[in-house]
Amino acid sequence: MTRTGRYLLDNQRTEAGERFDAFATLFDPTTFRHLDGLGVGPGWRCWEVGAGGTSVVSWLAKKVGPTGKVVATDIDISRLTGAARPPVEVRVHDIGAEQPPADGFDLVHARLVLVHVPERERALRSMVKALRPGGRLLLEDADPALQPLLCPDEHGPEQQLANRLRHGFRKLLADRGADLSYGRRLPRLLREAGLRGVGADAHFPLTSPACAALESATVRQIRADLVAAGLATDEDIDSHLAHVASGGMDLATAPMISAWGRKA
């Protein structure tokens, strides 16, 4: 993340923990599959960028073992302190403004980070710079513009309200410098950065308890921003949260694009 003061979904809020738990449920299997495919193993030196929560950091720590190292960075490390033991090192770091915490990494990984970083071009250069020759980069980011709806099956007033609030959320993100179509560009950006063997795929969760948990936590976290911007009323939000809690809607997330490559 970046220390601009404009980030909409900061880690200090109670709802942030709920969001991290939902992300782990929704996306960890995809992330771990890709990391396994890149060969992460004993002795690897890894940099987890914008770590936020601990699920990926803990998985990497087990994979690299006592002979490896995992550097976990974020602008807010309050939720990472429990993982700060060998082989994990936790550091405060602004990926959009600061130099890499080290170099010669075998792996650099960031999930759902760069879409929120206005200085994302600089951040990408920093991550590539931190890799050793032959090191792997795995970037995973959302593309809300590719699938902008919370309820793709908009068949009733509850779904219409949900999609209107999702539109408001996207506007708040864009107003703070988020790039809502960033995910789709990752393969090209990795090739332009000189990486070899670039590949990519997408994961699109639809209709799961974790989707509902993520939506509830997100709307509660940004409630005041939605109301202050005139994008929703408190009555709209109360009604929507009740609909989500009822379990009767098919909720989706934005697709997560995973792209990977190897430094020459």
Side-chain angles (χ1 to χ4, degrees):
M1 299 303 179
T2 182
R3 203 177 285 117
T4 64
R6 303 179 67 201
Y7 183 46
L8 184 64
L9 299 163
D10 69 86
N11 294 356
Q12 293 292 329
R13 295 286 298 275
T14 302
E15 296 87 356
E18 299 174 48
R19 286 171 48 79
F20 289 142
D21 289 343
F23 284 141
T25 299
L26 291 167
F27 297 123
D28 276 2
T30 296
T31 295
F32 297 163
R33 173 170 58 85
H34 288 310
L35 292 172
D36 265 331
L38 294 176
V40 178
W44 275 46
R45 299 181 69 247
C46 305
W47 178 17
E48 181 66 16
V49 180
T54 61
S55 65
V56 176
V57 173
S58 297
W59 187 92
L60 286 171
K62 291 178 182 178
K63 282 289 185 176
V64 306
T67 61
K69 189 175 187 64
V70 178
V71 179
T73 64
D74 206 326
I75 58 169
D76 180 353
I77 61 171
S78 57
R79 297 184 182 276
L80 290 169
T81 54
R85 55 185 178 275
V88 176
E89 177 184 343
V90 173
R91 295 192 192 182
V92 176
H93 180 265
D94 184 342
I95 185 59
E98 299 176 0
Q99 292 296 312
D103 56 18
F105 287 106
D106 300 290
L107 169 78
V108 177
H109 173 243
R111 184 173 77 185
L112 304 177
V113 173
L114 293 188
V115 67
H116 298 289
V117 178
E119 306 85 358
R120 57 188 63 86
E121 292 182 7
R122 174 175 178 170
L124 176 55
R125 291 195 300 270
S126 178
M127 288 187 276
V128 173
K129 177 182 178 182
L131 289 168
R132 66 165 176 81
R136 272 70 166 176
L137 177 64
L138 173 62
L139 296 183
E140 301 183 294
D141 239 315
D143 195 313
L146 194 62
Q147 194 295 109
L149 302 177
L150 178 64
C151 296
D153 180 19
E154 190 182 79
H155 70 276
E158 294 88 355
Q159 289 76 19
Q160 292 168 2
L161 173 60
N163 287 339
R164 178 161 63 84
L165 294 182
R166 176 54 60 91
H167 176 75
F169 176 39
R170 292 173 61 230
K171 184 177 188 311
L172 291 175
L173 287 172
D175 287 348
R176 286 160 174 78
D179 183 343
L180 302 181
S181 58
Y182 187 67
R184 73 191 72 179
R185 293 198 285 273
L186 287 175
R188 172 173 57 84
L189 293 174
L190 266 58
R191 288 195 301 272
E192 291 176 350
L195 299 187
R196 307 284 181 84
V198 172
D201 65 12
H203 180 52
F204 177 27
L206 175 65
T207 309
S208 79
C211 286
L214 178 60
E215 174 63 11
S216 176
T218 299
V219 169
R220 285 184 282 114
Q221 184 164 352
I222 66 171
R223 178 181 192 129
D225 299 280
L226 287 168
V227 173
L231 297 168
T233 65
D234 281 312
E235 291 75 15
D236 289 334
I237 294 171
D238 288 339
S239 180
H240 175 59
L241 290 173
H243 296 154
V244 171
S246 75
M249 294 197 298
D250 295 317
L251 306 182
T253 71
M256 183 179 76
I257 312 297
S258 301
W260 56 89
R262 182 184 72 257
K263 188 173 182 178

